[in-house]
Amino acid sequence: MSVSPKIKMTLKGYLIAGLLIWLPLAITLWVLNLIIGSLDQTLTLLPQEWRPEAVFGMHIPGLGVVFAVLVVMGTGMLAANVLGRRLVGFWHGLLSRTPVVSSIYNSVKQVSDTLLSDSGNAFKNALLVRWPHQNAWSVAFQTGTPAQEILQCAEDGEELVSVYVPTTPNPTSGYFIVVPRSDTRDLNMSVDEALKYVISMGVVVPNPPPQAQRPRLNDEHNRQG
């Protein structure tokens, strides 16, 4: 009997083969349904007579996505003129001075400005870092230059880098650490490729360019030995 190199064609093999087809599709549809369903709730901001149920006589899934995109684009266009900038400044000042709200708003705004701004320095490049101990390597991302107070704690001549180590398979949670540059190695892959590598738990291996050489991870260890 012919046997597949990856899945033995038994009842269990057929079950696994079916799961490999349906599981990604089901999760994708579930996530899309969750996103579309959440964005459809934005239609509740419209007056009752303007909602799809009143205009078309039925609920139309996905109109909330269109409405949300139009609201975001309209806000951006408004903020681009003089009057809009004044309104945004007033709103920012009001939230920044409101107790409790100010700490949440300012923190989120700093993160969003860093991630979305063209001048932001979030995730400069992908690298390997010695984590969680000196004999292990983890895929991480350089986020920027450490604060001056942290740099002052470094030993003479030691370069420190700020690093974000994501967790698998959810890269939105992780650890922020500051490590010596000598404990990191640059990777020949883009940030997007490294994220896919982390999310897939190492299954989706990026293809480096032909001219890229594989970094030698143990060169420092060999010199010390």
Side-chain angles (χ1 to χ4, degrees):
M1 182 178 65
S2 176
V3 179
S4 169
K6 292 185 178 180
I7 301 176
K8 295 182 179 179
M9 287 299 102
T10 61
L11 291 178
K12 181 180 179 181
Y14 290 131
L15 177 62
I16 294 176
L19 286 175
L20 291 176
I21 295 174
W22 283 106
L23 188 60
L25 178 61
I27 294 178
T28 301
L29 293 176
W30 176 75
V31 172
L32 289 176
N33 181 68
L34 181 64
I35 294 174
I36 293 175
S38 299
L39 290 177
D40 277 347
Q41 298 301 315
T42 59
L43 294 175
T44 58
L45 298 175
L46 295 173
Q48 186 69 39
E49 60 273 14
W50 290 5
R51 297 178 187 177
E53 293 83 355
V55 177
F56 303 103
M58 60 180 295
H59 173 69
I60 303 178
L63 280 184
V65 178
V66 178
F67 177 69
V69 171
L70 291 176
V71 169
V72 173
M73 290 183 62
T75 305
M77 294 174 64
L78 177 64
N81 57 52
V82 177
L83 178 60
R85 286 195 293 268
R86 291 181 179 177
L87 291 175
V88 171
F90 171 77
W91 183 257
H92 172 69
L94 178 63
L95 293 178
S96 298
R97 291 191 296 268
T98 304
V100 181
V101 175
S102 61
S103 58
I104 302 174
Y105 175 77
N106 290 332
S107 299
V108 174
K109 191 174 188 307
Q110 288 177 1
V111 173
S112 63
D113 287 348
T114 301
L115 293 177
L116 301 178
S117 174
D118 293 336
S119 59
N121 57 357
F123 291 4
K124 287 184 174 181
N125 57 281
L127 44 78
L128 286 177
V129 62
R130 293 188 185 274
W131 175 268
H133 53 78
Q134 284 296 108
N135 294 324
W137 292 92
S138 296
V139 177
F141 304 95
Q142 183 179 352
T143 59
T145 305
Q148 189 62 35
E149 291 79 1
I150 297 178
L151 293 176
Q152 292 175 354
C153 299
E155 298 179 359
D156 293 340
E158 185 179 44
E159 181 184 2
L160 299 179
V161 293
S162 299
V163 173
Y164 174 72
V165 184
T167 55
T168 302
N170 178 20
T172 59
S173 63
Y175 303 90
F176 169 71
I177 58 176
V178 179
V179 297
R181 170 65 72 177
S182 58
D183 283 344
T184 67
R185 297 291 185 274
D186 291 332
L187 290 176
N188 296 316
M189 64 178 70
S190 66
V191 172
D192 290 339
E193 290 175 333
L195 281 174
K196 293 177 183 178
Y197 191 53
V198 171
I199 294 173
S200 68
M201 296 175 287
V203 175
V204 180
V205 180
N207 295 319
Q211 68 273 16
Q213 296 181 354
R214 188 176 180 180
R216 299 180 60 184
L217 304 181
N218 60 347
D219 54 354
E220 181 184 352
H221 176 73
N222 293 337
R223 289 197 299 269
Q224 291 176 354

